[in-house]
Amino acid sequence: MKEGAKEMASEKAKDAEEWVEKASDKAKQSAHSVKKEGERELSEIIHKAQEVAVDAFDYAFSPDRLSPVTGILHLMGFAAAYGMCVWVTFASSYVLAGALPRNQFANVQSKIYPVYFKAMAYSVGLALFGHLMSHTKRLSPTSVGMFQGFNLMTSLAMILVNLLYLEPRATKVMLERMKKEKEEGTVKEGQASGLPSGRVVDSTAETVGRVSSTEKSEEAVAKSQIIRLSQMLQRLNSYSSLLNVFTLMSLTWHLVHLGQRLHIVS
């Protein structure tokens, strides 16, 4: 009887172990299938999200949608550049020159022109970007549109030459000339007070004549340096003004082009 009970208990234990193993296998299979199903659904969701993002990008940046934006950028940049160029060329310099002494006028101009050329570069660059974007969306850009693109590029190049080369050199020469003029004014004040450049005046006429001739030679050298700096500054200002006038002419040509396009559309 005892042996039979033991056998029955061992059989039940084996059955229980087999049931536990089968349950564990089923649980593993179920977890694996759930994982695979989750991965498949996640892949489908990512794929659909990518399709939606591509469609949204195509919709937002389609030529029909971008055309008003590029047109606004084009007109904003061009209007700002043309207005600034007309004001500085025909009004600002003449008003300041009539209202301020020469040295103060030069100082004010040295502060205005870097800001002016930077603002012009940004504005013309924005107009060029809008112009190119509006024409690259067309399958066959017109020759007039291509010429106007080169026209705006030329304007931007002239502005950059003024900004990066002519204006810094003109400001440097102007400050050097003002320094020389200040030194020359100090020397003249010393001569007017009877002190020849801070030297002790000897009682003999020979020493006075020698000091006077030395001062005259130094004064002549200083004057020649001031004249040379003034000529260099005048030449740089002439080049800068000429490029600025050419820039205004180029922008005026673009203005005529925009007016013709408005006439055709209307």
Side-chain angles (χ1 to χ4, degrees), residues 76-86 116 119-120 123-124 127 159 248 251:
M76 283 180 59
F78 173 76
Y82 196 79
M84 284 188 293
C85 193
V86 170
Y116 164 66
M120 285 288 293
S123 300
V124 174
I159 293 168
L248 181 59
L251 294 177

Side-chain angles (χ1 to χ4, degrees), residues 176-231:
E176 189 175 353
R177 188 190 68 175
M178 291 176 62
K179 181 180 178 182
K180 294 292 183 182
E181 289 178 345
K182 187 176 181 181
E183 292 175 354
E184 179 69 13
T186 303
V187 171
K188 288 182 178 179
E189 288 177 1
Q191 292 176 354
S193 62
L195 298 175
S197 300
R199 302 174 184 176
V200 179
V201 181
D202 296 335
S203 59
T204 62
E206 182 181 357
T207 305
V208 173
R210 185 172 63 252
V211 172
S212 178
S213 63
T214 303
E215 290 173 351
K216 288 181 179 178
S217 63
E218 291 178 354
E219 183 180 352
V221 171
K223 285 183 178 180
S224 64
Q225 291 178 350
I226 293 173
I227 293 173
R228 180 180 59 83
L229 292 173
S230 298
Q231 292 175 349

Side-chain angles (χ1 to χ4, degrees), residues 69-159:
V69 177
T70 56
I72 291 172
L73 295 178
H74 184 185
L75 290 178
M76 283 180 59
F78 173 76
Y82 196 79
M84 284 188 293
C85 193
V86 170
W87 172 256
V88 171
T89 303
F90 295 110
S92 176
S93 298
Y94 296 100
V95 172
L96 292 176
L100 297 175
R102 185 170 64 87
N103 288 340
Q104 292 183 9
F105 171 71
N107 283 327
V108 171
Q109 290 290 77
S110 67
K111 302 298 182 182
I112 289 177
Y113 275 123
V115 179
Y116 164 66
F117 289 128
K118 285 180 183 179
M120 285 288 293
Y122 285 127
S123 300
V124 174
L126 185 62
L128 176 61
F129 173 77
H131 177 79
L132 294 178
M133 288 295 294
S134 62
H135 282 78
T136 52
K137 294 189 292 292
R138 300 178 183 176
L139 296 178
S140 57
T142 61
S143 59
V144 177
M146 293 176 62
F147 277 122
Q148 286 302 318
F150 288 120
N151 179 33
L152 291 176
M153 289 181 187
T154 304
S155 300
L156 183 59
M158 290 188 290
I159 293 168

Side-chain angles (χ1 to χ4, degrees), residues 21-37:
E21 290 178 357
K22 291 179 180 179
S24 177
D25 292 338
K26 290 181 178 180
K28 289 179 180 180
Q29 291 177 359
S30 177
H32 184 68
S33 62
V34 169
K35 182 179 179 181
K36 290 182 67 176
E37 184 68 20

